[in-house]
């Protein structure tokens, strides 16, 4: 099982290189990540956005890029359409969000004509390497589904379980988070947690162990779980944190990055091809890790 981002990148280096289509690449941090990914031989790129700006920023960050690999787009929305279409037409294997608003980018991914829908619920996952935690921890969904229903949560969990398998974790432990670790009818996320746990026990969600509700402390700290007398194979050693809604997830993602100083990478799951989706403010390193995660996902999707 892969436990660090360095292992993710090392694994990506051994897999067939993929072509990544970047939606709005005119950004120094994005282009730095592109340069690093090219140097480590994990991906080639098609860049969409303002051509002159992409060329001048590429020179600034020391990226050598063939002019033929740049597609001029005069707006963010157009850049997203061109990048997603490149994947749909088989010219690229992965699409990546560059310097563009998440919702504009996602609308292109979800577009009925040229997008990457599969009939499944698409969901976002952020993966964190946190000092002092003995494994990568995955938060879902911090960026796409605003207020998922129970059936949507079931699909979000199934997506993340497949993702964990691509990282060599064949039986991921999924903690369904709430504010407390008991079912409370006044707290709807705890009811969903109980239902998801039972759906897993009955084989309606497969490939991992789901339990909940958990408060965050007893999902990630054995000490906290023992202190509260919680007995569960997931308690204190969760691989996945399923959050109730986008607000909780987004705040957890950004708390881990800004307060916890975690390394991070992030993808959209469930689409016809891997989708890299980080925050615009995330570092070039985070964008590189996300590209490497997408390479592993692409290999996994080819095998399936
Ligand atoms: C963490 C890193 C970066 C960040 O911080 S991101 C910041 C927070 N994130 C965001 O702002 C994006 C949050 N999500 C959204 O704004 C919206 O859900 C999104 C993706 C833009 C779509 O919203 P709208 O454009 O209003 O469209 P809509 O809801 O009417 O849906 C249009 C069609 O797409 C479908 N759809 C929406 N979400 C889906 C999903 N998860 N999986 C599969 N299909 C989905 C939806 O069913 C609809 O289909 P149809 O047209 O009715 O056939």
């Amino acid at each position: 099982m892969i436990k660090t981002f360095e292992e993710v990148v090392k694994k990506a280096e051994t897999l067939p290189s993929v072509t990544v289509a970047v939606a709005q690449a005119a950004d120094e941090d994005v282009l730095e990540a592109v340069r690093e990914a090219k140097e480590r031989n994990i991906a080639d790129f098609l860049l969409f956005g303002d051509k002159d700006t992409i060329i001048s920023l590429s020179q600034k960050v020391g990226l050598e890029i063939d002019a033929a690999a740049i597609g001029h787009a005069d707006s963010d929305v157009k850049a997203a359409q061109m990048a997603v279409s490149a994947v749909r037409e088989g010219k690229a294997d992965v699409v990546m969000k560059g310097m563009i608003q998440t919702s504009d980018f996602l609308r292109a991914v979800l577009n009925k004509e040229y997008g990457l829908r599969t009939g499944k619920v698409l969901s976002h996952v952020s993966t964190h390497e946190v000092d002092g935690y003995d494994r990568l921890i995955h938060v879902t969904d911090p960026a796409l589904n605003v207020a998922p229903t129970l059936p949507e949560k079931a699909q979000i969990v199934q997506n993340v379980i497949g993702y964990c398998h691509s990282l060599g974790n064949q039986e991921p432990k999924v903690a369904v988070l709430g504010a407390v670790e008991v079912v409370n009818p006044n707290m709807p996320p705890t009811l969903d947690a109980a239902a998801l746990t039972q759906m897993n026990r009955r084989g309606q969600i497969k490939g991992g162990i789901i339990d909940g509700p958990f408060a965050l402390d007893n999902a990630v700290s054995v000490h906290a779980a023992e202190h509260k007398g919680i007995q569960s194979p997931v308690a204190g050693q969760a691989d996945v944190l399923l959050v109730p809604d986008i607000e909780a997830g987004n705040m957890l993602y950004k708390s881990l990055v800004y307060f916890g100083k975690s390394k991070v990478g992030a993808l959209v799951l469930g689409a016809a091809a891997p989708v890299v989706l980080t925050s615009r403010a995330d570092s070039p390193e985070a964008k590189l890790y996300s590209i490497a995660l997408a390479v592993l996902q692409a290999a996994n999707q080819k095998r399936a």
Side-chain angles (χ1 to χ4, degrees):
M1 171 167 124
I2 289 175
K3 291 188 172 177
T4 66
F5 276 115
E6 196 46 42
E7 288 173 35
V8 173
V9 176
K10 286 233 154 68
K11 177 78 184 168
E13 285 171 343
T14 69
L15 293 170
S17 172
V18 300
T19 300
V20 180
V22 184
Q24 196 45 278
D27 175 70
E28 261 185 67
D29 286 357
V30 169
L31 293 169
E32 267 186 41
V34 168
R35 190 201 60 220
E36 183 75 18
K38 278 170 74 71
E39 281 172 8
R40 294 188 73 156
N41 273 327
I42 62 175
D44 282 321
F45 290 87
L46 298 175
L47 306 178
F48 297 94
D50 184 78
K51 193 164 187 169
D52 291 343
T53 314
I54 293 174
I55 291 171
S56 73
L57 289 178
S58 297
Q59 286 163 353
K60 192 170 173 197
V61 303
L63 165 68
E64 284 179 27
I65 190 98
D66 188 343
I70 306 175
H72 179 72
D74 51 19
S75 71
D76 289 355
V77 169
K78 187 70 189 164
Q81 178 182 342
M82 290 169 79
V84 171
S85 299
V87 175
R88 182 68 181 262
E89 290 160 12
K91 296 177 190 153
D93 311 288
V94 170
V95 65
M96 173 173 173
K97 176 190 158 210
M99 193 61 182
I100 174 177
Q101 259 196 5
T102 298
S103 49
D104 286 341
F105 175 72
L106 286 174
R107 282 194 190 99
V109 171
L110 290 169
N111 185 279
K112 270 191 189 133
E113 279 141 41
Y114 58 80
L116 302 172
R117 289 186 187 204
T118 54
K120 291 195 223 163
V121 169
L122 273 60
S123 54
H124 186 260
V125 61
S126 62
T127 294
H128 302 262
E129 183 181 332
V130 187
D131 261 357
Y133 202 61
D134 67 345
R135 66 195 76 198
L136 292 173
I137 187 137
H138 314 288
V139 176
T140 192
D141 172 337
L144 200 173
N145 291 282
V146 174
T149 59
L150 175 63
E152 287 166 345
K153 285 180 183 172
Q155 290 196 39
I156 291 169
V157 174
Q158 200 65 71
N159 285 349
V160 78
I161 286 174
Y163 171 71
C164 290
H165 293 172
S166 80
L167 293 168
N169 183 352
Q170 293 310 325
E171 200 172 48
K173 298 181 168 79
V174 180
V176 187
L177 294 188
V180 290
E181 58 283 345
V182 290
V183 176
N184 179 337
N186 294 322
M187 295 182 178
T190 69
L191 299 173
D192 283 356
L196 290 163
T197 303
Q198 193 62 8
M199 287 168 83
N200 178 235
R201 289 185 185 154
R202 292 281 187 268
Q204 290 170 271
I205 308 173
K206 296 185 171 69
I209 307 171
I210 304 173
D211 201 2
F214 284 103
L216 178 65
D217 55 351
N218 36 66
V220 298
S221 158
V222 173
H223 172 75
E226 281 175 359
H227 201 73
K228 287 195 175 163
I230 299 168
Q231 287 188 350
S232 156
V234 175
Q237 40 187 334
D239 299 294
V240 174
L241 302 174
L242 178 77
V243 294
D245 59 25
I246 195 170
E247 279 80 17
N250 205 276
M251 289 179 214
L252 183 52
Y253 175 140
K254 287 169 186 169
S255 302
L256 285 167
V257 172
Y258 285 88
F259 293 132
K261 306 292 174 209
S262 80
K263 295 179 178 172
V264 65
L267 298 180
V268 170
L269 307 174
V275 177
V276 171
L277 195 162
T278 55
S279 172
R280 278 166 289 175
D282 281 336
S283 63
E285 185 190 51
K287 295 178 202 303
L288 173 73
Y289 293 151
S290 306
I291 294 165
L293 287 169
V295 173
L296 269 59
Q297 270 290 105
N300 205 40
Q301 280 184 240
K302 263 193 197 123
R303 272 196 296 273

